[in-house]
Amino acid sequence: MSNRYAIILAAGQGTRMKSKLYKVLHPVCGKPMVQHVVDQVSQLKINKIVTIIGHGAEKVKAQLGESVEYALQEEQLGTAHAVMQAKEILKDRDGVTIVVCGDTPLIKSETMEALFNHHEKMSASATILTVLTKDPEGYGRVIRNSEGLVERIVEQKDATIEEQKINEINTGTYCFDNKSLFAALNEVSNENAQSEYYLPDVIEILRQQGKVVTAFQTEDYEETLGVNDRIALAEAERIMKERINKSHMKNGVTIIDPANTYIGADVKIASDTVIYPGTIISGHTEIGQDCEVGPNSELKDCIIKDRTVVRQSVVHESTIASEVKIGPFSHIRPQTIVHDHVKVGNFVELKKSSIGSGSKISHLSYIGDAEVGDNVNIGCGSITVNYDGKNKYLTKIEDEVFIGCNTNLVAPVTIGKGAYVAAGSTITKDVPSEALSIARAHQVNKDHYVQKLNAKK
Ligand code: UD1
Ligand code: MG
């Protein structure tokens, strides 16, 4: 196997997206398109990956980090000009270079590997990944000669009516002999409908030099979709969603209605978990086995352990342990840790709190900036009063505490182990362990009040 290099084209603005966001940063299933491409390329054995950046360079760099090297294309003069920017890093190297567009988020590493292998087997100077499609509109068309050999690629805008009928398209992914590529790039001109330096022109140049140019036709049109506008973006989202959902189902996850279930590309789910419709699971969420999630739930960057149920709820950036019941209608906000066997019921909001195992917060409560021990019962309508308008304060509720309904715990405050707080209390001072604290007005009953009132009338 020869040395392998990769160039990812990501400098374009993406005018057809009509967006403030640079095209390659538009997410597909929650992950920017260019990140999908880099992740797939990174699965191959590649000596160097160079990403060409221009529009939104800093943002693209912030996204991809140090996983790739960068070359800046200051002016976007076309795809050949873009590749040229990798010259300093790559031009003197022996080996094969794959060029992939940052706007083809569905391309798979296996297909790129097959392209490399085909290229090497054919001892080619260039190999284009092509595909047959019913709708070639917008793509470059592959022109073959009478013997069926690839002659050149013609862009949509430069194609004759006859050429536009060709339904074999350039997917925008190619392998090149590295040195031949950089030599040929010098000869590309911009005399075409868009006055751009087209990378596909390298094919014709190499061909005219008598070099071997081949095409590797893939079967899977969906994988090669180039996203130039929002219509294609929605199509990519649909295909990626289907691919992700199928892979989870193959791994033993039940998805009741895949068309209505949105799972991000980096989500992990263990077997025998059931996902109900209307559920969105995103970021680096990991869900254990035998869980039930949904319907209509939103999980982002969470860790959920085994046999936990999350119904009609929102959980963000939190860890939920095993055999926990969340919802319906709970909101778990970032930095919350819920331990085993906890129940968080309807209309309960948790924020930056830890809830010890076996504890119950079953109805209508707000628990923020709190440390709640094990086997605590928090009655309906209880609130940690954590904010004085300027600062946030901690509430500590030790193990086995019982908090009666409709209680305000004005932080900073500690409720000692095993203590009881009477319903309707507003607690402003620490409660010693095993004490009963009552902090509410005494009840006064005025007998025969109504008769007296009526007599006055
Ligand atoms: C390109 C191909 C076309 C192919 C299609 C596949 C050319 C001229 N045409 O067309 O044959 O069928 O992809 O999807 O290559 N870019 C830069 N710098 C530039 C211009 C573009 O980095 O100066 C990047 C873009 O960010 C994008 C990629 O190159 O990621 C492709 O550019 P785009 O404008 O989308 O080309 P297409 O019109 O789709
Ligand atoms: Mg494109």
Side-chain angles (χ1 to χ4, degrees):
M1 196 176 86
S2 47
N3 288 326
R4 289 177 172 182
Y5 309 101
I7 299 174
I8 297 170
L9 306 183
Q13 161 81 41
T15 321
R16 291 164 278 182
M17 296 295 280
K18 305 217 165 80
S19 176
K20 292 181 281 306
L21 186 64
Y22 306 106
K23 176 164 77 172
V24 297
L25 291 177
H26 274 267
V28 170
C29 291
K31 178 149 96 178
M33 292 201 264
V34 67
Q35 187 72 62
H36 280 285
V37 174
V38 168
D39 288 353
Q40 291 299 316
V41 170
S42 302
Q43 286 179 33
L44 305 166
K45 280 208 170 61
I46 302 266
N47 301 61
K48 258 178 195 303
I49 305 174
V50 183
T51 301
I52 312 298
I53 50 174
H55 277 287
E58 290 311 311
K59 294 218 160 84
V60 176
K61 269 170 108 167
Q63 172 62 39
L64 300 176
E66 288 172 10
S67 59
V68 297
E69 292 179 50
Y70 298 96
L72 184 67
Q73 185 192 22
E74 281 175 10
E75 250 185 308
Q76 283 65 52
L77 304 178
T79 45
H81 180 257
V83 172
M84 194 67 140
Q85 310 311 307
K87 195 164 133 188
E88 291 309 307
I89 304 177
L90 291 179
K91 77 172 190 325
D92 297 324
R93 294 171 183 266
D94 285 315
V96 178
T97 298
I98 190 168
V99 179
V100 194
C101 294
D103 66 350
T104 53
L106 299 156
I107 186 99
K108 288 186 196 160
S109 60
E110 303 92 87
T111 305
M112 291 190 268
E113 179 70 29
L115 178 69
F116 265 120
N117 293 340
H118 179 88
H119 178 86
E120 284 171 0
K121 200 176 79 195
M122 303 298 285
S123 305
S125 285
T127 304
I128 320 160
L129 182 70
T130 72
V131 76
L132 295 173
T133 166
K134 283 193 210 81
D135 182 18
E137 182 74 21
Y139 289 96
R141 311 296 204 283
V142 178
I143 311 290
R144 293 177 180 260
N145 64 18
S146 50
E147 294 154 59
L149 299 171
V150 175
E151 284 277 318
R152 61 192 170 91
I153 293 167
V154 60
E155 291 303 303
Q156 167 87 29
K157 288 186 178 151
D158 301 283
T160 62
I161 306 275
E162 276 312 300
E163 287 168 336
Q164 285 183 24
K165 288 181 189 152
I166 295 171
N167 63 355
E168 183 181 20
I169 59 152
N170 167 28
T171 65
T173 301
Y174 331 69
C175 275
F176 295 101
D177 168 66
N178 186 62
K179 283 186 173 166
S180 307
L181 166 66
F182 284 99
L185 282 172
N186 290 321
E187 294 177 35
V188 174
S189 90
N190 65 350
E191 284 158 26
N192 52 51
Q194 303 183 82
S195 303
E196 279 185 12
Y197 295 91
Y198 293 161
L199 179 61
D201 285 1
V202 165
I203 301 297
E204 192 178 3
I205 293 165
L206 291 173
R207 183 85 183 110
Q208 284 174 354
Q209 290 171 357
K211 298 207 161 127
V212 180
V213 172
T214 65
F216 177 68
Q217 222 179 60
T218 168
E219 303 278 290
D220 185 2
Y221 166 65
E222 292 197 329
E223 194 186 332
T224 62
L225 180 76
V227 175
N228 295 323
D229 59 25
R230 309 266 185 162
I231 297 166
L233 182 67
E235 182 71 353
E237 180 84 19
R238 183 190 63 77
I239 296 166
M240 183 69 81
K241 174 163 81 96
E242 209 173 288
R243 195 190 276 181
I244 291 170
N245 286 352
K246 277 189 178 155
S247 85
H248 288 295
M249 291 188 276
K250 280 185 184 152
N251 287 338
V253 176
T254 294
I255 300 178
I256 302 292
D257 183 1
N260 264 309
T261 304
Y262 305 83
I263 302 176
D266 296 318
V267 170
K268 297 195 173 97
I269 310 176
S271 65
D272 287 321
T273 282
V274 181
I275 313 291
Y276 289 93
T279 294
I280 304 172
I281 307 173
S282 62
H284 287 87
T285 295
E286 290 180 24
I287 303 175
Q289 51 187 345
D290 300 305
C291 293
E292 290 178 40
V293 179
N296 303 323
S297 294
E298 193 187 305
L299 272 50
K300 182 167 174 269
D301 291 315
C302 297
I303 294 179
I304 312 259
K305 299 274 171 61
D306 301 334
R307 297 178 297 286
T308 280
V309 177
V310 179
R311 292 218 186 290
Q312 279 111 335
S313 291
V314 176
V315 186
H316 283 184
E317 295 167 47
S318 292
T319 299
I320 316 290
S322 299
E323 302 191 28
V324 172
K325 291 202 161 41
I326 305 274
F329 311 111
S330 307
H331 184 189
I332 317 281
R333 292 170 51 202
Q335 297 183 53
T336 294
I337 301 172
V338 176
H339 291 93
D340 294 346
H341 303 287
V342 164
K343 178 165 190 263
V344 181
N346 24 214
F347 307 106
V348 171
E349 175 178 345
L350 305 182
K351 185 218 86 171
K352 204 179 178 185
S353 293
S354 70
I355 314 295
S357 53
S359 291
K360 292 192 174 72
I361 313 167
S362 297
H363 338 262
L364 300 157
S365 290
Y366 170 65
I367 303 296
D369 302 296
E371 282 173 32
V372 177
D374 296 346
N375 301 316
V376 167
N377 188 86
I378 297 187
C380 175
S382 296
I383 286 168
T384 54
V385 184
N386 61 331
Y387 186 46
D388 65 4
K390 282 212 171 99
N391 297 304
K392 305 256 164 86
Y393 301 95
L394 183 75
T395 301
K396 265 185 102 170
I397 304 175
E398 293 180 355
D399 295 347
E400 271 129 51
V401 161
F402 184 96
I403 307 280
C405 292
N406 197 25
T407 296
N408 294 310
L409 303 169
V410 182
V413 72
T414 298
I415 316 297
K417 188 173 178 205
Y420 278 68
V421 174
S425 293
T426 292
I427 299 294
T428 54
K429 288 184 282 195
D430 289 354
V431 176
S433 85
E434 311 218 323
L436 165 66
S437 183
I438 307 176
R440 63 186 184 217
H442 279 287
Q443 182 169 335
V444 178
N445 291 343
K446 299 196 171 180
D447 288 339
H448 311 300
Y449 175 78
V450 175
Q451 285 97 312
K452 285 176 196 161
L453 190 70
N454 287 344
K456 275 190 192 161
K457 284 185 192 157

